[in-house]
Amino acid sequence: MSLLADKSLSFSPQLAATIGLEAAVLLGVLADVARYRDTSGWVVLRAQQLESWLPFWPAQDLQRISQGLASMGLINLRGAPYLSSQSLEFQLSIDGIGIEAASTQTFPAQN
């Protein structure tokens, strides 16, 4: 495996200090995806795709962290829970300023 082939994750260190590192990393990924999707604001990510981008988190952690983001009011979730549906259907509930803050710095993934 080449370290240069890995995608870098973008997140705000200030946001991580406020909401926690896990939440900031996942929010950064979700904000990146939402930015490039032309939808009504709702995005559906299949488990296979999300878990390939974040291979260091098992499905249980992705469900826990995404539910945490929803409880903080940063994303809206709909549909069945991640573990049972094998997908994450979400909508960002932060404004354009918040989306920018979620992914302002890029740090290379380290193994």
Side-chain angles (χ1 to χ4, degrees):
M1 170 185 352
S2 170
L3 291 178
L4 297 177
D6 285 345
K7 180 187 181 310
S8 295
L9 298 174
S10 299
F11 66 94
S12 165
Q14 291 176 342
L15 185 62
T18 302
I19 67 172
L21 180 60
E22 290 180 325
V25 169
L26 183 56
L27 184 60
V29 169
L30 299 181
D32 285 346
V33 171
R35 187 175 309 146
Y36 297 107
R37 299 284 171 108
D38 183 28
T39 65
S40 63
W42 287 95
V43 178
V44 178
L45 289 176
R46 303 287 172 231
Q48 181 180 9
Q49 188 173 32
L50 187 57
E51 291 172 18
S52 73
W53 293 336
L54 302 167
F56 43 85
W57 282 329
Q60 295 86 352
D61 286 344
L62 289 168
Q63 178 170 304
R64 174 182 55 80
I65 299 164
S66 62
Q67 288 175 336
L69 288 171
S71 71
M72 287 184 255
L74 298 172
I75 64 171
N76 298 314
L77 295 173
R78 72 177 179 190
Y82 181 74
L83 287 174
S84 60
S85 67
Q86 293 296 296
S87 66
L88 182 67
E89 189 169 1
F90 74 95
Q91 178 185 51
L92 295 176
S93 58
I94 53 180
D95 60 19
I97 294 170
I99 293 171
E100 291 303 315
S103 58
T104 56
Q105 293 187 0
T106 302
F107 298 95
Q110 296 180 4
N111 289 353

